[in-house]
Amino acid sequence: IADFNATVLNLFPSHVSWDWCKKGQGPSGRAASNVDWLEHTDEVLLTISHICSEFTRLLTLPTGSRARHRVFRFGKKQRATILSNSRKLHRSILEEMNFLTDKCEDLKQ
């Protein structure tokens, strides 16, 4: 959790303030880019917010590894529901991370 926290705390400021301009040349970096940086930053913030929300939901899912989840019919049904929700949350987090990766590519344009 600490690694996740540190990554998120560094990810957003990097999108807000990163500039790769080359000294001694004309306009480059953010100044020469035609990206709407305010919209870019808002999308990154919203994506990070979604990732944190999904991560919290994933960490607060009940466990499905007790004996009752393997032996009894009701427990098996609970386990299937928990696993289904876990897969959906993992998939959602992965999609949001892919979106952030695309936003990093926008910084390079």
Side-chain angles (χ1 to χ4, degrees), residues 13-69:
S14 68
H15 279 272
V16 171
S17 61
W18 186 30
D19 195 3
W20 61 99
C21 64
K22 297 178 182 175
K23 294 181 181 179
Q25 294 182 358
S28 64
R30 282 184 184 253
S33 177
N34 54 354
V35 174
D36 181 2
W37 293 108
L38 185 58
E39 181 181 338
H40 173 90
T41 304
D42 288 345
E43 289 174 352
V44 168
L45 181 60
L46 185 62
T47 302
I48 290 172
S49 174
H50 285 159
I51 290 172
C52 291
S53 174
E54 298 295 314
F55 192 60
T56 301
R57 288 181 56 204
L58 182 65
L59 290 176
T60 57
L61 278 176
T63 183
S65 61
R66 295 195 173 154
R68 68 173 182 248
H69 295 116

